[in-house]
Amino acid sequence: MRIELRNISKSYGDLKVIENFSATLDSGKIYQIAGPSGSGKTTLLNIIMGLVKQDQGTVDPQNIRISAVFQEDRLIESLSAEDNLKACGITGNIREELDKILPLGAARKKVSKLSGGMRRRVCIARAVLAESDLLIMDEPFSGIDEQNLINVIQYIMAHKKDRVLTITSHANIADMFGEDISVLKL
Ligand code: ADP
Ligand code: MG
């Protein structure tokens, strides 16, 4: 799969957030969307997902299967971690999968009772276990401490398969992934 972002521009009123942005995203590759806070990273990802409409430019093809770690968790607070994944149509051994990146027993707890970093890991599992061609992760590692981070990154790599992976992060994720990562600057 190859995704072409062509000449994308977006303004909010007088504020030009993205100006004529183009990039080619290929299967199996990792892309970091880099830029300071407020530079339009989330806006660009939301345009790719069809949640925000660009003023100009195209995302091609348009009917890509996407799974995402949104900037906000977007979890169903009254459900357990495992039931959040089930509610998204994810099948298979969800408990076993969550146990790989969460403390034992956390998968059965209501997500409202989990720490910020644990909730983030539920969001990461939800995204990687969903069937998709493009994985979008907007600040996925926020609140995840260094000790868990290595494990989480290994988990993502083990489940990424041949998908396109697009990540925004303030950290140097190339070092963390130990992989060749293309940096797209905003
Ligand atoms: P980043 O993710 O890089 O921090 P964002 O894409 O969230 O940046 O935001 C880029 C700029 O657009 C910011 O100045 C933000 O305040 C502004 N912005 C984002 N969404 C809206 C919106 N719905 N209405 C008005 N301004 C917005
Ligand atoms: Mg953002």
Side-chain angles (χ1 to χ4, degrees):
M1 150 135 329
R2 166 168 281 194
I3 301 161
E4 295 275 5
L5 311 178
R6 290 195 199 91
N7 305 106
I8 292 175
S9 298
K10 175 71 186 173
S11 298
Y12 291 110
D14 292 339
L15 180 71
K16 278 190 178 160
V17 178
I18 300 171
E19 250 189 299
N20 224 24
F21 181 89
S22 296
T24 302
L25 310 176
D26 281 319
S27 284
K29 297 253 168 70
I30 304 175
Y31 300 88
Q32 178 177 16
I33 316 274
S37 189
S39 60
K41 302 182 295 296
T42 296
T43 301
L44 179 66
L45 295 181
N46 285 341
I47 289 170
I48 296 170
M49 290 189 275
L51 300 177
V52 166
K53 182 84 187 111
Q54 66 271 34
D55 301 328
Q56 275 168 30
T58 54
V59 178
D60 195 40
Q62 286 187 324
N63 54 347
I64 316 158
R65 295 183 311 164
I66 299 174
S67 56
V69 176
F70 299 95
Q71 186 168 275
E72 326 76 44
D73 291 331
R74 301 198 190 191
L75 291 165
I76 304 168
E77 298 295 335
S78 58
L79 295 184
S80 68
E82 37 177 13
D83 286 343
N84 261 274
L85 271 58
K86 282 185 195 152
C88 292
I90 294 166
T91 55
N93 203 335
I94 293 175
R95 171 90 52 93
E96 194 177 293
E97 283 298 325
L98 285 169
D99 284 349
K100 291 177 185 170
I101 50 169
L102 287 176
L104 218 60
R108 275 176 290 133
K109 287 190 184 151
K110 266 191 190 179
V111 290
S112 59
K113 305 263 187 257
L114 301 180
S115 74
M118 288 183 213
R119 291 164 57 87
R120 223 53 197 139
R121 282 176 266 164
V122 177
C123 297
I124 289 169
R126 183 180 58 182
V128 300
L129 295 174
E131 268 189 54
S132 62
D133 304 308
L134 169 63
L135 263 169
I136 282 182
M137 298 192 178
D138 198 352
E139 314 282 355
F141 308 128
S142 54
I144 300 178
D145 56 68
E146 217 163 290
Q147 198 165 357
N148 287 305
L149 195 54
I150 297 163
N151 184 33
V152 168
I153 287 171
Q154 281 172 353
Y155 183 81
I156 293 171
M157 292 308 284
H159 289 78
K160 186 174 88 58
K161 299 189 204 115
D162 199 29
R163 294 183 273 196
V164 183
L165 173 57
T166 326
I167 303 186
T168 70
S169 178
H170 294 300
N172 182 345
I173 60 167
D175 278 0
M176 298 195 298
F177 276 79
E179 281 260 327
D180 210 12
I181 290 178
S182 306
V183 179
L184 308 175
K185 288 216 164 69
L186 272 181

